Amino acid sequence: MSDVLAIYPGSFDPITNGHFDLIERSSRIFDRLIVALLTNAEKEPLFSVEERLAMLREVTRNLKNVTVDTFSGLLVDYAVQKKARAIVRGIRAFSDYEYELQMALMNRKLEPRLETIFLMPAESYAYVSSRLVKEIFRHGGSVKELVPAVVEERLRQKINPKPHEV
Ligand code: PNS
């Protein structure tokens, strides 16, 4: 097949260096990649859809075969509509595996033509998550090596970090 499209779905609240690492890796494997932001997640996000989209677009702007989009409803329905062949998900630690396996097998049950591809981020990002980034920032810790500069700036605008407690 000539043009293989993959979808990298997520909440990206906000995008971290770990996410970006996976986007870069995927962009080297697949002909095209859509980073797809879920807009109707149950959890209350820190950043609005527009803010998360803007950060994703800024961070991926130099990757020519990567586009950013939103989706709601079932991921498999969106992937079929886009004619994607694969879903990309990251596995950082063993603890991610159970949830990711369940989701991958359920997605396969719903749409057997789609494959889920698991990628591992660089070791240096194995412990990075959006949730921890927000928590660290709120308590005055440095997130410089964990998120792109544009995200750090947005966090600064959104959250008033507490001074470092000693
Ligand atoms: O970044 P996240 O929050 O780990 O991403 C989770 C996401 C968006 C991939 C997942 O919640 C999802 O695909 N939601 C869409 C609804 C859906 O298809 N649910 C069934 C999954 S088996």
Side-chain angles (χ1 to χ4, degrees), residues 62-87:
N62 291 328
L63 300 172
K64 297 299 167 221
N65 62 343
V66 177
T67 52
V68 174
D69 194 12
T70 58
F71 78 103
S72 57
L74 284 181
L75 173 60
V76 290
D77 289 343
Y78 173 75
V80 167
Q81 180 211 323
K82 290 288 170 189
K83 300 188 169 48
R85 297 264 306 284
I87 293 166

Side-chain angles (χ1 to χ4, degrees), residues 9-12 19 38 43 71 73-76 89 99-100 102-103 106-107 110:
S11 312
F12 305 109
H19 292 128
L38 178 70
K43 45 193 176 188
F71 78 103
L74 284 181
L75 173 60
V76 290
R89 291 288 290 171
Y99 169 64
E100 293 297 335
Q102 184 185 20
M103 212 159 53
M106 186 59 84
N107 281 333
L110 293 168

Side-chain angles (χ1 to χ4, degrees), residues 105-158:
L105 293 180
M106 186 59 84
N107 281 333
R108 178 183 281 165
K109 170 113 188 103
L110 293 168
E111 182 44 75
R113 292 170 297 179
L114 267 173
E115 285 301 336
T116 297
I117 311 283
F118 291 129
L119 292 180
M120 287 153 292
E123 273 168 55
S124 46
Y125 301 131
Y127 53 85
V128 180
S129 74
S130 301
R131 184 180 64 79
L132 284 181
V133 162
K134 287 179 278 191
E135 194 172 311
I136 291 163
F137 191 87
R138 275 198 188 97
H139 294 284
S142 170
V143 296
K144 209 171 254 328
E145 288 168 26
L146 310 181
V147 293
V150 59
V151 173
E152 195 186 354
E153 184 50 40
R154 292 260 185 175
L155 280 165
R156 207 169 288 126
Q157 289 163 11
K158 178 79 67 180

